[in-house]
Amino acid sequence: MARNKNLRESTTNQVLDAIRLGHIESPVPSQSSLAELFSVSRTTIRYIVRELIDKGILSQSGDQYLICRRPTEEDGYTRHLSDKDIETEEFERFFNDAIKNKVIMPGQEFTELELSKRSQCSTTIVREYLIRFSRFNLIENIERGRWKMIRFEKHYAANLFELREMLECHSLSRFMNLPHSDVRWDKAQMLLHRHRELRETVVSEYKAFSELDHMFHGLLLSAADNPFMDHFFGIISVIFHFHYQWDNSDLRTRNMVAIEEHMAVLSKMLSGDDIGAMSELRRHLHTAKRTMENSLIMDSIQS
């Protein structure tokens, strides 16, 4: 029951954010569409809709639900996590920051005890996280309690991009053939809107791009409906969103360029231009490939 309560409260917060930011407009999509959009059951959505009606945010008119007022922060729920969940999130942030800030370098060895002391998290939390992370083949367990960060080689990058282009281009083709009623078209529209918002503040908020990048490529791959691609996307997330082994000196500029490239792809998709969308996606992937190759060259020079 507690899990269901947490899911309802978390989803309610997401729905309120979407209404507040204008991603969901009046009349709101059908309950089945909302269930797909937020990846929950229709029962959960029905509960949320009733609650928003009670709060005066929505009203029912026939079969439609209209937005009566803009939600405020007070309409949402405070997030509650178990002590273990909180500690796991704390260590995940610590570990990702250690990679991004080059505290943990390629080829470096470290122990669970060292990370436990530096992160102030228990060794159990550290061990569980490292075991999950090791499936990306970017760290390896040398012996009990001792790990090593694996160096990211150029041939690995070349193979990665070759596979990435094949899968994402295939997924885009599948996406463009989705029926217009598919909720992922709404997600694409919402994502384009969020890119436009970030573009206005990207000079100071450029680090916020990683979340949009994750959402953009995840949305494309979702059209393939293939669990093997989900595993591949996990590897991509670690390498690109944590900027593993990258020279981050021009991160702001890179993210500004990527925002424009994402918007070009999304705009072509939403206008129904299959050929244009594919061309823009290939251009974006080639930009990312050049960026990583240059970064690996810089890394080899500095080494």
Side-chain angles (χ1 to χ4, degrees), residues 28 51 72 88 94 132 167 169 171 174 188 196 241 260 273 277 292:
V28 301
E51 182 178 1
T72 64
T88 299
F94 163 83
R132 290 199 303 273
L167 297 186
C169 288
S171 297
R174 294 284 297 272
R196 286 173 176 158
H241 305 144
E260 296 296 335
D273 184 352
M292 175 165 276

Side-chain angles (χ1 to χ4, degrees), residues 3 43 90 93 169 205 212 218 234 297:
R3 180 182 177 185
T43 300
E90 288 177 352
R93 283 194 296 270
C169 288
E205 302 293 332
L212 289 187
I297 291 172

Side-chain angles (χ1 to χ4, degrees), residues 12 39 57 96 107 112 126 149 154 163-164 217 244 258 283:
T12 298
S39 301
I57 297 171
N96 295 342
E112 294 169 5
V126 171
M149 184 66 70
K154 187 174 181 179
L163 178 61
R164 183 185 189 187
H217 292 284
Y244 178 75
R283 182 164 71 94

